[in-house]
Amino acid sequence: MEINYLCPKCKSFLNIGNKIVLSVKVKNEQKGLMLFEKELGNYQIKKHDLVEYKKGELLGFYCPICHENLALDDVNSNLAKIIMLDENNKEYDVIFSKVAGEHATFKISNNEIEAYGEDSHKYINFFGHSPKY
Ligand SMILES: [Zn+2]
């Protein structure tokens, strides 16, 4: 089975091919779809040219199907969450930074945190114990 990503609320699949599709809202209220790489730690994205933002701007991420806000405000207002199912159907929380240009992603199961991205050290204190790199 391939790795799949799901909306935490409606459990719809968010991935197509090697991409994850999320709905994004930027400061000027422009909305659009954004494509992310399924591979954790790969921060290449695809978006519409008119969806513009500056580095450091806080973006809003939403499920493209049910429009649930993916923000994880109870942990940190800079973070958002989706669900990952690995090849063995094991479930993880995948938490990522909503700050434009910031590279921080965490794959979390019951007792393990894996961190990705050079900015992930900014958030390790929010998860109770240190991630492995
Ligand atoms: Zn949803």
Side-chain angles (χ1 to χ4, degrees), residues 56-99:
E57 197 175 304
L58 192 63
L59 307 178
F61 289 99
Y62 302 83
C63 171
I65 296 150
C66 74
H67 306 296
E68 174 78 354
N69 190 341
L70 301 172
L72 204 59
D73 286 338
D74 51 335
V75 178
N76 184 301
S77 54
N78 282 2
L79 300 174
K81 180 179 101 167
I82 56 176
I83 305 291
M84 174 203 253
L85 293 178
D86 75 3
E87 298 92 334
N88 303 313
N89 232 20
K90 187 176 177 198
E91 188 173 319
Y92 299 87
D93 286 347
V94 169
I95 292 173
F96 58 95
S97 170
K98 303 192 301 175
V99 179

Side-chain angles (χ1 to χ4, degrees), residues 20-108:
I20 301 168
V21 187
L22 295 179
S23 175
V24 65
K25 192 166 90 181
V26 300
K27 224 175 191 172
N28 64 9
E29 297 298 306
Q30 185 73 48
K31 293 176 190 169
L33 295 173
M34 214 187 261
L35 295 177
F36 298 83
E37 296 294 322
K38 270 175 72 176
E39 181 195 352
L40 296 177
N42 182 337
Y43 293 97
Q44 279 190 294
I45 54 147
K46 280 190 162 49
K47 64 176 180 64
H48 196 286
D49 288 343
L50 290 178
V51 175
E52 290 181 321
Y53 49 78
K54 295 191 187 73
K55 199 169 188 237
E57 197 175 304
L58 192 63
L59 307 178
F61 289 99
Y62 302 83
C63 171
I65 296 150
C66 74
H67 306 296
E68 174 78 354
N69 190 341
L70 301 172
L72 204 59
D73 286 338
D74 51 335
V75 178
N76 184 301
S77 54
N78 282 2
L79 300 174
K81 180 179 101 167
I82 56 176
I83 305 291
M84 174 203 253
L85 293 178
D86 75 3
E87 298 92 334
N88 303 313
N89 232 20
K90 187 176 177 198
E91 188 173 319
Y92 299 87
D93 286 347
V94 169
I95 292 173
F96 58 95
S97 170
K98 303 192 301 175
V99 179
E102 193 170 77
H103 295 166
T105 309
F106 301 91
K107 179 182 163 190
I108 299 176

